[in-house]
Amino acid sequence: GAGVSQSPSNKVTEKGKDVELRCDPISGHTALYWYRQSLGQGLEFLIYFQGNSAPDKSGLPSDRFSAERTGGSVSTLTIQRTQQEDSAVYLCASSLKHRGGEAFFGQGTRLTVV
Amino acid sequence: AQSVTQLDSQVPVFEEAPVELRCNYSSSVSVYLFWYVQYPNQGLQLLLKYLSGSTLVKGINGFEAEFNKSQTSFHLRKPSVHISDTAEYFCAVSSGSNFGNEKLTFGTGTRLTIIP
């Protein structure tokens, strides 16, 4: 597609369940980022992929969070044993390498843990 | 480490009036600077960017910003706002690493409300 696509757009899950969030970046964009947007913390970096590798995972808040990217394209962010504090909007962005940080964002997945 | 400060969390402005949204940053290395806009229930859209060259950059929807290295600022301006400019505006920086990791550090955002 023309833009970054994220699914689902909304997800309500029970505390303790696992969730998977999907990101389909712009074709040809080798860099992919996940960010989290929450009321208390603003916009936070979670993880960076270059191709299928994740050289920077420094923003993942706990070991319940993991992500992978396959075929240099689609990425999945997995949250295990969800907690209420995981409720947030998860944003995916992609970019061409060496663009200084100019990134194209998806619409986000709003995760609500009840 | 980098940080971005947006001192104004909310800015109300009358329609057709000028507006300035303030952004200051700190970084120990050279930075690239961005303004993103987020309309309700949408993702982030790039308004404008400063990578190098002229310190006055123009973006979409009539917005412009000026990079001031001595004051470490990148304030966003528009001479005449419209109702459709109502949104949240985020200032962001990246270090533009040669290793490809160009993650963004965001400010806390400024909610711009246009008053008819």
Side-chain angles (χ1 to χ4, degrees):
Chain A
V4 178
S5 177
Q6 291 187 246
S7 60
S9 55
N10 280 284
K11 176 74 176 178
V12 180
T13 189
E14 291 181 353
K15 178 181 172 182
K17 300 284 189 184
D18 298 351
V19 295
E20 285 188 353
L21 313 180
R22 177 187 167 105
C23 172
D24 201 340
I26 293 172
S27 178
H29 281 193
T30 56
L32 186 147
Y33 305 83
W34 283 97
Y35 294 87
R36 180 169 72 172
Q37 185 174 25
S38 57
L39 281 175
Q41 303 297 323
L43 273 157
E44 308 170 275
F45 164 79
L46 297 178
I47 187 169
Y48 156 66
F49 285 93
Q50 183 59 239
N52 292 336
S53 301
D56 187 352
K57 307 178 183 179
S58 62
L60 294 178
S62 75
D63 58 8
R64 296 186 295 105
F65 288 72
S66 63
E68 65 174 11
R69 189 179 184 193
T70 56
S73 181
V74 172
S75 176
T76 303
L77 177 69
T78 301
I79 309 173
Q80 295 179 311
R81 305 180 303 282
T82 51
Q83 304 294 312
Q84 287 187 330
E85 61 263 28
D86 300 335
S87 295
V89 176
Y90 290 82
L91 292 166
C92 176
S94 70
S95 72
L96 293 168
K97 197 174 178 182
H98 300 321
R99 292 291 293 176
E102 177 183 359
F104 295 83
F105 283 80
Q107 304 265 45
T109 293
R110 182 176 298 277
L111 176 66
T112 305
V113 181
V114 297
Chain B
Q2 302 166 330
S3 67
V4 178
T5 301
Q6 293 181 249
L7 287 173
D8 305 309
S9 59
Q10 297 188 59
V11 174
V13 180
F14 286 103
E15 193 173 14
E16 298 184 5
V19 68
E20 178 179 84
L21 305 184
R22 296 180 294 167
C23 172
N24 288 87
Y25 69 92
S26 70
S27 176
S28 56
V29 299
S30 296
V31 295
Y32 301 131
L33 294 153
F34 305 83
W35 276 97
Y36 282 86
V37 60
Q38 186 174 36
Y39 298 104
N41 299 315
Q42 294 191 26
L44 295 164
Q45 180 181 1
L46 181 67
L47 263 184
L48 48 78
K49 62 190 177 189
Y50 171 77
L51 301 183
S52 65
S54 173
T55 57
L56 180 64
V57 293
K58 295 187 183 297
I60 62 171
N61 301 338
F63 284 93
E64 64 179 34
E66 185 154 20
F67 170 54
N68 188 318
K69 189 174 182 180
S70 63
Q71 296 187 4
T72 60
S73 67
F74 191 56
H75 301 331
L76 180 70
R77 302 185 183 99
K78 186 170 182 178
S80 176
V81 296
H82 188 266
I83 289 286
S84 59
D85 293 324
T86 295
E88 187 133 21
Y89 292 78
F90 292 92
C91 182
V93 302
S94 79
S95 62
S97 165
N98 287 331
F99 299 102
N101 184 0
E102 297 168 334
K103 63 185 176 185
L104 294 163
T105 299
F106 287 91
T108 50
T110 297
R111 185 171 299 276
L112 177 63
T113 302
I114 308 303
I115 305 165

